[in-house]
Amino acid sequence: MTQTARIAVIGLGSMGYGMAQSCLKAGHTTYGYDIMPAQMEKFQSEGGAIGALDDIAGSLDCAVIVVLNAAQTEAVLFGEGGLASKMSANSVVVACATVPPEFARDMEARCAQHGILYLDAPISGGSLKAANGALSVMASGTSAAFERARPMLDATSQSVFELGDAAGAGSAMKAVNQLLAGVHIAAMAEALTFGMTQGVTPEKFVEVISQCAGTSWMLENRAPHIVDGDYTPRSQVNIWPKDLGIVLDIAKSAKFSAPITAAAMQQYLAAAGMGFGTEDDAAVAKVYARNAGLTLPGDA
Amino acid sequence: MTQTARIAVIGLGSMGYGMAQSCLKAGHTTYGYDIMPAQMEKFQSEGGAIGALDDIAGSLDCAVIVVLNAAQTEAVLFGEGGLASKMSANSVVVACATVPPEFARDMEARCAQHGILYLDAPISGGSLKAANGALSVMASGTSAAFERARPMLDATSQSVFELGDAAGAGSAMKAVNQLLAGVHIAAMAEALTFGMTQGVTPEKFVEVISQCAGTSWMLENRAPHIVDGDYTPRSQVNIWPKDLGIVLDIAKSAKFSAPITAAAMQQYLAAAGMGFGTEDDAAVAKVYARNAGLTLPGDA
């Protein structure tokens, strides 16, 4: 018998919307909130529960915060009319944004002052997996927080990595993953365009390298976008100055030299500077192409 | 019915020795040559054919050159007493070292002047796959060169990517693969040690990241060496200053800016400079560990 929970998803972007849909599908009473009214109305038309957040906050089992960064997460919880003062004791906040581990520890402590549980739970997998309940979650928090969040985790995730009994460990692992994911996309773009200078077509690149030791999860996922000349954003270029910025900030605090991450960061900044910030992150290849005078598939 | 060929493998290092064994296993008459007599004697004791290269060169179907670089390849073919002047017309040279595409085109042309076929055939997969006849080969050359090399390719390879009808394309794809493979090993080391500064253990890193979007073929292959503190060289640190050096030389000639490759190169140079050149290439992690004051598994 499935436990029916009362869940609110704060932030109905590409990830949050899919997670809210997955909660609905699993039979939970699910509210969805976003700064864009159209997103909320769309979700309500698909079966989302209706009610002002102020009115229903006290009745929630779980509030899932799927916003862009630490500042937005803090605003949702502790800004004017923030959730923390409205949720009931022992309800749980599930915080999914990529944030510094230290920030997650701080949020956990401040929520505890309100008697609220906190799960440090960054997510990975993209919007399609969010909508299909197949995300990976890198989670840490008390066993009580895990227990209270379980219906939501079951509804949205294929894999939940339980990384420790306090906030911070989940965000640390997410930062490690983002370091690699960001570097691998940019390295794929570097290799694909380097190959073009030597007569290796993007098609041949994908065909051969995806079967060789040079492959990566990100290469197999993103390189086809370049082959197709399709930069519809599944995940935007703009994500990477943010996420690699978090990685490099943490690294700086730890006096950790991360030269490859720093090099990749410059390429994403150049992509954003060239005006490709809201395109699919595979558009980092356009930086290399412009620098080398190459024409990518689909370009004029 | 298997066609029995007369094959010589020049260079019985970790890759060449395994390839020679695979040719033997497939029933071909196989000679093995190396500057280290012990390697030749070992191969002969396992069934390798016996005879001076000068004496048997004219009777070969195929000479496989598995040496370190372009200079050694050229010396084998065109140095004093080189093979090119001794092999018979329409026999084939299979050149497996990682070399610049331009060099491969030059070798093909010079072999053609001697009436000899040339297959530009860099290999990928490591010594274990070499010994098991399961290499990947990125090959280009005339159809006649492919045809003559087929028994050797069948004996040593699981996948033969046929990349074009002239030398150069094989080496270009290999350079692309090495760019990514070298970057991915160093990025893995960067992420693993970065994680350690945030409380992510190497074991947990492998367990979680290998199942997430941050994974790569190289991460899954090399990160366990760091977890085990085992730097027995399957592939040495010293390979990377050589192979990324080729990539960066080609890139420079093409006026191609490759900042991530360049950053990775510095880390391998530092690893070699610290005295880890002949260790497994996962030892690039020691550069990060020393820079950050971290202790890797197995370290004192």
Side-chain angles (χ1 to χ4, degrees):
Chain A
M1 203 178 77
T2 308
Q3 181 192 349
T4 298
R6 293 176 60 80
I7 298 171
V9 177
I10 322 293
L12 298 174
S14 62
M15 298 297 286
Y17 199 94
M19 294 171 75
Q21 287 178 308
S22 292
C23 290
L24 261 190
K25 268 185 243 166
H28 301 301
T29 302
T30 310
Y31 297 86
Y33 299 96
D34 198 88
I35 49 170
M36 302 196 21
Q39 285 296 89
M40 293 176 57
E41 286 158 19
K42 184 174 167 214
F43 182 64
Q44 287 167 359
S45 76
E46 292 187 24
I50 297 177
L53 183 52
D54 279 0
D55 298 337
I56 61 97
S59 70
L60 291 172
D61 296 294
C62 176
V64 191
I65 307 181
V66 198
V67 295
L68 195 61
N69 56 26
Q72 290 183 6
T73 301
E74 184 168 15
V76 167
L77 286 172
F78 300 105
E80 200 183 317
L83 266 182
S85 60
K86 293 178 181 149
M87 290 173 69
S88 302
N90 296 315
S91 61
V92 67
V93 166
V94 178
C96 298
T98 299
V99 302
E102 185 54 43
F103 172 84
R105 285 188 284 269
D106 182 51
M107 288 297 106
E108 180 184 50
R110 289 170 67 186
C111 282
Q113 291 169 0
H114 290 269
I116 299 169
L117 304 166
Y118 185 92
L119 196 68
D120 178 24
I123 50 181
S124 174
S127 53
L128 199 65
K129 287 196 171 181
N132 291 330
L135 290 173
S136 294
V137 184
M138 303 174 194
S140 66
T142 61
S143 57
F146 271 107
E147 192 181 334
R148 201 72 195 267
R150 190 63 63 190
M152 170 268 163
L153 293 171
D154 288 345
T156 57
S157 315
Q158 189 169 55
S159 313
V160 178
F161 298 103
E162 302 196 8
L163 298 170
D165 60 4
S171 286
M173 189 65 84
K174 181 68 192 294
V176 169
N177 186 67
Q178 293 309 86
L179 184 165
L180 286 163
V183 166
H184 289 169
I185 294 167
M188 172 278 289
E190 186 163 308
L192 182 147
T193 48
F194 168 74
M196 288 174 71
T197 70
Q198 302 303 307
V200 176
T201 64
E203 293 82 356
K204 210 69 177 169
F205 171 90
V206 172
E207 178 192 333
V208 175
I209 300 296
S210 65
Q211 297 179 64
C212 290
T215 196
S216 68
W217 192 96
M218 277 297 181
L219 185 150
E220 293 171 34
N221 189 269
R222 300 299 207 275
H225 301 176
I226 300 173
V227 171
D228 296 341
D230 177 4
Y231 299 97
T232 311
R234 292 72 154 184
S235 180
Q236 293 186 4
V237 164
N238 281 336
I239 292 294
W240 294 109
K242 177 181 77 67
D243 281 11
L244 294 185
I246 291 171
V247 169
L248 291 169
D249 283 347
I250 299 170
K252 186 179 173 188
S253 296
K255 296 186 176 57
F256 181 86
S257 167
I260 298 175
T261 308
M265 175 66 144
Q266 303 312 309
Q267 302 304 96
Y268 289 111
L269 288 174
M274 286 176 180
F276 306 129
T278 58
E279 293 193 5
D280 189 80
D281 53 22
V284 71
K286 295 183 180 184
V287 176
Y288 290 96
R290 284 195 180 188
N291 285 349
L294 297 166
T295 303
L296 293 172
D299 267 15
Chain B
M1 204 178 73
T2 307
Q3 181 192 349
T4 298
R6 294 176 59 80
I7 298 171
V9 177
I10 323 294
L12 298 174
S14 62
M15 298 298 285
Y17 199 94
M19 294 171 75
Q21 286 178 308
S22 293
C23 290
L24 261 190
K25 268 186 243 167
H28 301 300
T29 301
T30 310
Y31 297 87
Y33 299 96
D34 198 87
I35 48 170
M36 305 204 8
Q39 284 296 93
M40 293 176 58
E41 287 158 19
K42 183 174 168 215
F43 182 63
Q44 287 167 0
S45 76
E46 292 188 24
I50 296 177
L53 182 53
D54 279 2
D55 297 337
I56 61 95
S59 70
L60 292 172
D61 296 294
C62 176
V64 191
I65 307 182
V66 198
V67 294
L68 196 61
N69 55 27
Q72 292 182 5
T73 301
E74 184 168 16
V76 167
L77 286 172
F78 299 106
E80 201 183 318
L83 266 182
S85 59
K86 293 179 182 148
M87 289 174 69
S88 302
N90 296 315
S91 62
V92 66
V93 166
V94 178
C96 298
T98 299
V99 301
E102 185 55 43
F103 172 83
R105 285 187 285 269
D106 182 50
M107 288 297 105
E108 180 184 51
R110 288 170 68 187
C111 282
Q113 290 169 1
H114 291 269
I116 299 170
L117 304 166
Y118 185 93
L119 196 68
D120 178 25
I123 50 181
S124 174
S127 53
L128 198 66
K129 287 196 172 183
N132 291 330
L135 290 173
S136 294
V137 185
M138 303 173 195
S140 67
T142 61
S143 57
F146 271 108
E147 192 181 332
R148 202 73 195 267
R150 191 63 63 189
M152 170 268 163
L153 293 171
D154 287 345
T156 57
S157 315
Q158 188 168 56
S159 313
V160 178
F161 297 102
E162 303 196 7
L163 299 170
D165 60 4
S171 287
M173 189 64 84
K174 181 68 192 295
V176 168
N177 186 68
Q178 293 309 86
L179 184 165
L180 286 164
V183 166
H184 289 169
I185 294 168
M188 173 277 290
E190 185 163 309
L192 182 147
T193 48
F194 168 75
M196 289 173 71
T197 70
Q198 302 303 308
V200 176
T201 65
E203 293 82 355
K204 210 69 180 169
F205 171 89
V206 172
E207 178 193 331
V208 176
I209 300 297
S210 65
Q211 297 181 63
C212 290
T215 196
S216 69
W217 193 96
M218 278 298 181
L219 185 150
E220 292 172 33
N221 189 269
R222 300 300 208 274
H225 301 177
I226 300 173
V227 171
D228 297 340
D230 178 5
Y231 298 96
T232 311
R234 291 72 154 185
S235 179
Q236 295 185 3
V237 164
N238 281 337
I239 293 292
W240 294 108
K242 178 180 78 67
D243 280 11
L244 294 185
I246 290 172
V247 169
L248 291 169
D249 284 347
I250 299 170
K252 186 179 174 189
S253 296
K255 296 186 175 58
F256 180 86
S257 165
I260 299 175
T261 308
M265 175 65 145
Q266 303 311 310
Q267 302 305 96
Y268 289 110
L269 288 173
M274 285 176 179
F276 306 128
T278 58
E279 294 193 7
D280 190 80
D281 52 22
V284 71
K286 297 183 181 184
V287 176
Y288 289 97
R290 285 194 180 188
N291 284 349
L294 297 167
T295 303
L296 293 172
D299 267 16

